[in-house]
Amino acid sequence: MGRRLLSRVGCECPLCGARVAGARLCAGCQADILAAPPGAGPRCPRCALRPAGAALHCAACMAQSWAFCRSVAAFDYVPPADALILMLKTRLRLNTAPVLARLMAQALRAGASLPSDILLVPIPASRASLLQRGMNPAAEIARSLAAELGVPGPRHLLRRRRESPRQATLGRRARQRGAAGLFLCVEPLHGRHVAVVDDVMTTGSTVNAAAAALLEAGAASVTALVAARRP
Ligand SMILES: [Zn+2]
Ligand SMILES: [Zn+2]
């Protein structure tokens, strides 16, 4: 069975098993995972965190200059929504990718729009992850997202200059140091607007390194599109 067909078969909400039409969450699960935590403000447009109080930009964005100009996240990487990411990354359920892409497209439509000639570029997986999973979750999400948004399919323009230690085992500082200069863009971008696609944004350092490489190659702007943002 082709992957495309496989992605259309999902007739159960991946989180609760309720019957649904197509690759989507049931209305109840969707409302649960998209709801802001009590007292939380809107997401910071730059990094997609939810700053405390009425601040427009969060402390991280006050203290740091990012290479990407804004970030859009569908939901926070907390239970039960994190299970959606784990289904794709750990249980290799590829039919979770269109569910995530649909949520990301909804988050995008709720905010500002992307230029119609946007280039979607997934973050490349490390060699170790590719060997372990046989696929790149970010690329799977980007492919579904392109279909969802009606834009051309993702372009695999980034290469890793080196293999990095497993990010999940590192602290914030070490992640930032480890990600600096991590990527290379293999084509000149001649002023194109680019959206970098990843599954989870944790410190932002990986997406930032990707954005820096794309700007260096001539991108006019880089937007980060992620399924989940770790608060
Ligand atoms: Zn459900
Ligand atoms: Zn921010």
Side-chain angles (χ1 to χ4, degrees), residues 67 93 102 104 107 140 173 183-184 195 197 205:
R93 282 178 53 178
R102 183 181 291 251
M104 291 163 74
E140 295 296 324
R173 281 286 169 89
F183 301 107
L184 172 75
V197 179
S205 53

Side-chain angles (χ1 to χ4, degrees), residues 195-216:
V196 170
V197 179
D198 206 359
D199 45 23
V200 182
M201 188 170 176
T202 301
T203 62
S205 53
T206 302
V207 165
N208 194 53
L214 293 162
L215 290 181
E216 204 169 301

Side-chain angles (χ1 to χ4, degrees), residues 158-207:
L158 292 170
R159 300 283 180 276
R160 287 181 179 253
R161 288 184 201 267
R162 59 181 186 275
E163 294 302 313
S164 52
R166 280 192 74 82
Q167 291 271 38
T169 63
L170 301 176
R172 171 176 288 267
R173 281 286 169 89
R175 290 174 82 111
Q176 282 166 349
R177 274 198 309 273
L182 184 56
F183 301 107
L184 172 75
C185 179
V186 295
E187 273 182 30
L189 292 170
H190 303 297
R192 296 289 301 270
H193 295 281
V194 181
V196 170
V197 179
D198 206 359
D199 45 23
V200 182
M201 188 170 176
T202 301
T203 62
S205 53
T206 302
V207 165

Side-chain angles (χ1 to χ4, degrees), residues 44 46-49 57-58 60-61 66:
C44 166
R46 199 74 191 270
C47 76
L49 284 177
H57 290 284
C58 62
C61 289
W66 300 110

Side-chain angles (χ1 to χ4, degrees), residues 76-119:
D76 284 328
Y77 191 70
V78 292
D82 57 351
L84 283 175
I85 302 288
L86 296 174
M87 278 175 204
L88 178 62
K89 293 180 75 165
T90 310
R91 293 164 60 192
L92 309 183
R93 282 178 53 178
L94 293 179
N95 58 359
T96 317
V99 178
L100 294 170
R102 183 181 291 251
L103 293 168
M104 291 163 74
Q106 284 170 357
L108 257 172
R109 290 184 193 113
S113 61
L114 290 174
S116 58
D117 64 342
I118 191 83
L119 276 180

Side-chain angles (χ1 to χ4, degrees), residues 142-155:
R143 203 150 50 112
S144 294
L145 186 60
E148 192 68 43
L149 297 174
V151 301
R155 300 285 310 279

